[in-house]
Each structure stands twice: as C-alpha cells, then as structure tokens.
Amino acid sequence: MTKAVRGPRQEAGRNGPILKSAPSFRWRAIFKTLGPGLITGAADDDPSGIGTYSQTGAQLGYAASWTMVLTFPLMAAIQEISARVGRVTGHGIAGNVCRHYPAGLLNGIVALLFIANTINVAADLGAMADASRLLFGGPAFAYVLLFGVTSVVAQIFLDYARYVAVLKWLTLSLFAYVGALAVAHVSWGEAVAGLLIPRVEFNASFLTTVVAILGTTISPYLFFWQASQEAEDQRVDSAKQPLVHRHHGARQEFNRIRADTIVGMAFSSLIAIAIILTAAATFHASGKTDIETSAQAAQALRPIAGRFAEVIFALGIVGTGLLAIPVLAGSAAYAVGEGRRWPVGLARKPKEAAAFYGVLALSAAIGIALNFTPVDPIQALYWSAVINGVLAVPVMVLLMAMVRRRDVMGRFVVTGKLYWLGWLATAVMAAGVIAMGVAWAL
C-alpha cells in the first residue's frame, strides 16, 4: 500500500472544501529575529568607513578587495565571542573587566575608547553634513546640530524596542551602495581576481591602507556594543536570565547569536566590497586617486557615473551615519557606565540611568563641538583610527583571556574552532599595528 502524499490542508466550507496552503516563508519574520549582530555589522560601514573603502578603491583599484574576504571570518569570530560574553554573564565587556581585572587596566581602555569614539562621532557628523549639503544645500553647521541632537534625543526618549527597530530598518540604507555599484562599469574579471587572489605590495602606502581596513572592520567599539546589547536584550526580557545562572536553552541562544553575527558581518563585508569596487571602477579607472572622505566620493561620482550615483551614495552616507552615531556614543556610555557599575541601558528611563545617558550625551556633544573648531576632521579621523587600531589589540587579548575563565563564563568557556579563530583575528590585528609602526619608522 502506498503512503498518501500530504497536500494542502483542507477545511470544510459552505460551498465545499477550502484549500489552505502551508505558512509561507516571510522575510519580515526572519528580519525580526536579527538583532545586535545585524546592527553592529551595519554600523561598521559608517561614513568614516565609507571614506576608507572609497579611498582604497580609488588608490589601489581592485587589488585590495581581497582584504574584505580575509577580514570577514575574523570579524565574525571576534563579534560572536563578544556577544557570548554579554549573553552568558549578563554584563558587557567593561562590566566583566571591572569585576575580574585591575581598575587601572579598565580605566585606560575606557578612556581610549571614549576618545576614539567621540572623534569618530565628530567625523561622521561632518560627513553627514557634507552629504546633506550635496543633496539639499544649506549650511553644514545646521546639519551637524540636527543629526547630533536628533541622535541623542532618540536614544534617551524613544522606547527601547521601537528604537532598536528603527536602527534595524536603517541598515537597509546600506543597499544604496549596491545601487551605486549597479551603475558603475565594473571590469568583473579584474574584480573577481582582486577578491580571490591576494596581492600584497610591501610599501608604506599599501600597508597603511591594509591597516586602515583592519581598523575600520575590527573596531573595539563594536565589541563593546554587541556584548552590551546582548546583556541589554536579556535584561529587558523577563523570560531570559544570564546563561551562567540558567543553563537551559544555551545551545539555541548560541545558534541564534552565530546566525545573527554571521548575517550582520556578511552584510557589512558585502557592502564594503561594493564600495571598493564602485570606487575602483569609477575613480581609479579614470585616474582620480585623491579621494579622502565619503562626501568627496559622493561628489566625485557625478561626472563619472552620473547624478543618480551621486545621490544614492550621499543618501547612504546620511543613513549609515544615523545608524553609526548611536552605536559609537552608546558603546562609550556602556563602557564607562558598566566600568563604574552604574545602572546602564537604553531600555531604562532617563531618571533611572542619568549618569549613563549623561556620558552618551557628552560624547555626542563633544563630537558636535569638534565640527566648530579648527581641528581638521581628516587628521582627527586618522588619529582616531590609530587609537582604535592600537586599542583593539589589548582589548582582544583581554577578551580572549576572559572567555577561558570559568569564574567569568562558567561552563560556557569558549573552546574549539571559534576560540582559535578569535586568536587568529587578534594576531592579524597585532601584525597590522606592527606593520603600521614599521611604516612610520621608515
């Protein structure tokens, strides 16, 4: 006897059976399951990062795009490890450091993180203002104030769930760079070769560019943000507890974190590749190699690829800036607040976490103010990248040591391939910093 094949479910109706199809696949439902990993990955492609990737494509053409293929598994590993720390312990990175390591170590790391993030906020606000002037005209200072104040007010006063939803939808602004790539005349044979065949030039210019890419993609503020957001999501969900206290469901949570992180980092890497290829196919191909900022990249696209490319590139800068500034200021506030054991979290009311929100507002305020000083934003961004690159190494070493401590992670210490991939990312970052130092010395 043959087994009946189950078809669509039937229900009785007035005029006969009604066929009811199986539940359809819904992208919206999948999108809702993504969280800190997606936002972190998208925030990695901030206006400053867009400037770095544009400069890479303009100066080196397709030759350096392979670096994004290299950094993807490394950044995914270190971000997954950071997320596990937050979910297992219920605290962010700074919250765990203050409980298990000397105060001096924490204070030095947090101070450098605050400085680097605040400079990055200033550079991103400047880039957003320049992009807005291209689109709508008007004075730059007005856009700096508008974007800076809006970001702070939204973080302080918006409901947490609604605010996170806004950040997730803002990640879609990154598809602007796929649109820009679509109108560029890419030499796909050279592009594929650049992605798959590593080419290294042992000169200061090439090595500095590689270090800039590493510093842009593997940044300390991303570690702190994702760990703190996992802890925050656990705190606001009454059904969840830190896994170190409640072991049930750990495997499911780790699978969720891995999927969320891989999607977020893959998204970040693909957009970065799109920007590099666009710059290579337009600027480098036409001999224009002096692109320094994301706003310059948008403006320079018009004579090469048309007004449409310029507009979508500029819109992407504004969208990614609105996403990145909360992550930059927020990660600094989480680090300072957790280190001081203050009540922290974007889900808390302003009165419940006044000091936390005060640090967040201070970082944004200084970032706004820097745009009204003689400080060169390009030089400021350069030194911010230097600080981030140098800071990443000790933070990653500390993180890798922390996730092997049973008094921190309990039974969920990180082992196996993920652990060694985390150390590989740390070694690559350290090598980049050493190469940068050698380039300076020469």
Side-chain angles (χ1 to χ4, degrees):
M1 185 174 66
T2 60
K3 188 174 181 178
V5 179
R6 181 176 295 177
R9 187 162 55 91
Q10 294 186 0
E11 289 185 0
R14 181 175 296 179
N15 299 317
I18 299 174
L19 293 179
K20 208 165 189 180
S21 61
S24 60
F25 180 83
R26 294 182 180 179
W27 284 108
R28 188 183 182 92
I30 297 296
F31 188 66
K32 283 185 176 181
T33 65
L34 302 175
L38 174 65
I39 295 171
T40 302
D44 194 24
D45 292 327
D46 68 329
S48 301
I50 293 166
T52 299
Y53 301 136
S54 299
Q55 189 176 35
T56 298
Q59 291 184 347
L60 302 175
Y62 304 108
S65 55
W66 62 269
T67 56
M68 299 311 307
V69 179
L70 169 68
T71 57
F72 166 62
L74 304 182
M75 65 191 293
I78 207 70
Q79 290 300 146
E80 181 181 340
I81 291 169
S82 300
R84 285 197 182 200
V85 169
R87 185 63 187 91
V88 168
T89 68
H91 303 292
I93 293 173
N96 281 290
V97 173
C98 78
R99 287 167 171 80
H100 301 282
Y101 293 92
L105 176 63
L106 174 67
N107 292 338
I109 288 174
V110 170
L112 289 173
L113 181 74
F114 182 88
I115 293 170
N117 284 15
T118 300
I119 294 173
N120 222 330
V121 167
D124 284 353
L125 285 172
M128 293 165 68
D130 288 342
S132 298
R133 288 179 64 195
L134 289 177
L135 294 171
F136 311 111
F141 74 87
Y143 292 115
V144 169
L145 288 172
L146 173 65
F147 293 135
V149 172
T150 299
S151 175
V152 172
V153 169
Q155 289 182 88
I156 295 176
F157 295 106
L158 272 186
D159 174 74
Y160 177 72
R162 183 174 298 174
Y163 183 67
V164 169
V166 169
L167 292 182
K168 287 170 68 175
W169 283 110
L170 277 174
T171 63
L172 298 179
S173 64
L174 287 168
F175 282 108
Y177 299 109
V178 178
L181 179 63
V183 300
H185 300 290
V186 179
S187 173
W188 287 108
E190 292 181 47
V192 171
L195 283 169
L196 300 181
I197 304 173
R199 285 179 283 177
V200 179
E201 299 173 18
F202 292 97
N203 56 65
S205 176
F206 187 90
L207 291 175
T208 302
T209 300
V210 170
V211 171
I213 291 173
L214 288 173
T216 300
T217 55
I218 306 176
S219 296
Y221 76 89
L222 300 174
F223 315 157
F224 283 85
W225 172 263
Q226 190 164 354
S228 295
Q229 283 299 287
E230 282 291 341
E232 179 92 344
D233 286 354
Q234 172 263 305
R235 188 181 66 79
V236 300
D237 189 342
S238 59
K240 290 183 179 180
Q241 294 181 20
L243 294 177
V244 74
H245 301 312
R246 183 181 177 183
H247 302 160
H248 178 69
R251 180 51 51 194
Q252 181 179 357
E253 284 294 279
F254 290 156
N255 288 339
R256 174 192 61 79
I257 287 172
R258 175 162 293 179
D260 183 26
T261 303
I262 288 176
V263 169
M265 299 308 120
F267 184 42
S268 173
S269 298
L270 288 173
I271 297 301
I273 289 171
I275 296 169
I276 293 173
L277 296 185
T278 299
T282 52
F283 309 135
H284 187 79
S286 63
K288 188 175 181 61
T289 61
D290 57 347
I291 300 297
E292 292 184 338
T293 70
S294 52
Q296 281 184 12
Q299 189 172 24
L301 273 175
R302 179 191 285 192
I304 301 173
R307 173 66 175 167
F308 177 72
E310 178 193 25
V311 168
I312 60 176
F313 210 88
L315 284 173
I317 292 168
V318 175
T320 56
L322 289 172
L323 174 66
I325 288 172
V327 175
L328 286 159
S331 64
Y334 274 114
V336 174
E338 290 174 354
R340 298 290 180 182
R341 302 201 185 192
W342 295 336
V344 300
L346 297 172
R348 296 185 189 273
K349 302 295 183 183
K351 289 184 179 179
E352 298 173 345
F356 165 78
Y357 285 118
V359 174
L360 189 153
L362 178 63
S363 178
I366 296 174
I368 292 172
L370 286 174
N371 279 276
F372 298 91
T373 67
V375 175
D376 182 350
I378 303 303
Q379 288 298 315
L381 183 59
Y382 174 78
W383 287 108
S384 171
V386 171
I387 294 172
N388 266 325
V390 173
L391 178 60
V393 177
V395 171
M396 293 168 77
V397 170
L398 186 62
L399 182 63
M400 295 309 301
M402 185 189 303
V403 296
R404 293 287 284 187
R405 291 182 57 158
R406 291 196 175 273
D407 57 339
V408 177
M409 300 291 288
R411 64 190 290 185
F412 299 112
V413 294
V414 177
T415 59
K417 294 179 180 177
L418 178 62
Y419 178 70
W420 293 112
L421 196 55
W423 271 118
L424 178 59
T426 306
V428 169
M429 201 68 199
V433 172
I434 293 171
M436 183 174 62
V438 171
W440 283 354
L442 298 176

